[in-house]
Amino acid sequence: MPEEPRQRRGKKDGESAVKTKEELPINRTPVNQLRHAQARLVVARDRTADLHTAWRNQLFRLSLLVTLICLHALQSPTSSCISDIKDFNAMLSSDEGGSDKP
């Protein structure tokens, strides 16, 4: 019972991975090659611009997150510092009110 060789996914019968010289398009003139290269450059530039925009958006979101975390971390020391200042000022005003006034 001979088994047929397994095919790779996406391959069809009679389709080879390497094209021979006869299978390549004949119109490979320098002008067509330049047009093809220019088209590939435009696609690469568009992909690069999209990637750059995505990275900028992601970094902006990250900076907002870091800013919110910093503000949250600064909130408790600031409120406790203000509370300490108010307590100290109240203590000074009560000390000055009783003994230092002429």
Side-chain angles (χ1 to χ4, degrees), residues 5-13 15:
R6 292 177 53 180
Q7 290 183 352
R8 286 188 174 178
R9 218 179 293 175
K11 293 276 185 182
K12 295 178 182 165
D13 287 336
E15 183 180 330

Side-chain angles (χ1 to χ4, degrees), residues 57-93:
N57 290 337
Q58 190 66 21
L59 288 174
F60 179 72
R61 286 186 214 111
L62 186 64
S63 67
L64 288 178
L65 180 65
V66 168
T67 303
L68 290 175
I69 290 172
C70 289
L71 289 174
H72 180 71
L74 288 174
Q75 184 180 7
S76 60
T78 304
S79 61
S80 66
C81 183
I82 291 173
S83 174
D84 290 344
I85 290 171
K86 286 182 179 179
D87 290 343
F88 184 74
N89 286 340
M91 184 180 69
L92 281 180
S93 66

Side-chain angles (χ1 to χ4, degrees), residues 13-68:
D13 287 336
E15 183 180 330
S16 64
V18 179
K19 293 188 175 187
T20 61
K21 196 170 191 177
E22 294 84 28
E23 294 174 346
L24 291 175
I26 297 173
N27 59 356
R28 299 292 281 179
T29 64
V31 174
N32 286 340
Q33 288 178 350
L34 286 174
R35 287 182 184 155
H36 184 66
Q38 186 178 14
R40 286 185 299 180
L41 285 174
V42 168
V43 169
R45 183 188 64 200
D46 291 342
R47 285 183 185 168
T48 304
D50 290 343
L51 183 63
H52 177 72
T53 303
W55 270 106
R56 278 187 64 175
N57 290 337
Q58 190 66 21
L59 288 174
F60 179 72
R61 286 186 214 111
L62 186 64
S63 67
L64 288 178
L65 180 65
V66 168
T67 303
L68 290 175

